[in-house]
Amino acid sequence: MLGELLSELRAHANDRIRNPLLGPFTAAWIVTNWRPLSVLIASNEPIEIRIEFIEENYFNVASLFVVPLGFALLLSLIHISEPTRQAEIS
């Protein structure tokens, strides 16, 4: 039963990652926000202090949404246009 659940979770995660918009958005979000993620994961401070530090120093709309969405759209457009370019080459 546990193996079946893990298999379903893995399949669901694969579907999400292969999504032409969600996968690139997630990757761009992680690359854009690596500093607050590292503070959240690696700091030895209490969680309240880590969250407060992130909110004070890294919390803005551009890094949380605009920049990753721009990269995701750009990568999606490249991904969508790739078959057209391959057809032109052939």
Side-chain angles (χ1 to χ4, degrees):
M1 180 165 150
L2 183 61
E4 197 174 295
L5 177 65
L6 289 175
S7 176
E8 288 180 24
L9 286 173
R10 191 174 300 123
H12 182 70
N14 263 345
D15 289 343
R16 294 291 182 178
I17 289 172
R18 292 172 195 246
N19 181 311
L21 187 60
L22 189 59
F25 179 82
T26 304
W29 191 89
I30 290 170
V31 168
T32 305
N33 294 294
W34 69 270
R35 285 185 178 129
L37 284 174
S38 67
V39 168
L40 189 63
I41 294 170
S43 176
N44 292 328
E45 297 292 330
I47 189 69
E48 295 86 7
I49 293 175
R50 288 184 270 175
I51 291 173
E52 184 179 324
F53 178 78
I54 291 169
E55 286 176 347
E56 289 174 359
N57 295 295
Y58 297 108
F59 191 78
N60 62 48
V61 175
S63 70
L64 290 176
F65 188 70
V66 175
V67 173
L69 183 62
F71 279 122
L73 290 173
L74 179 66
L75 290 173
S76 294
L77 288 173
I78 291 170
H79 177 72
I80 290 170
S81 68
E82 188 173 318
T84 307
R85 287 184 297 164
Q86 291 296 329
E88 290 173 357
I89 293 172
S90 297

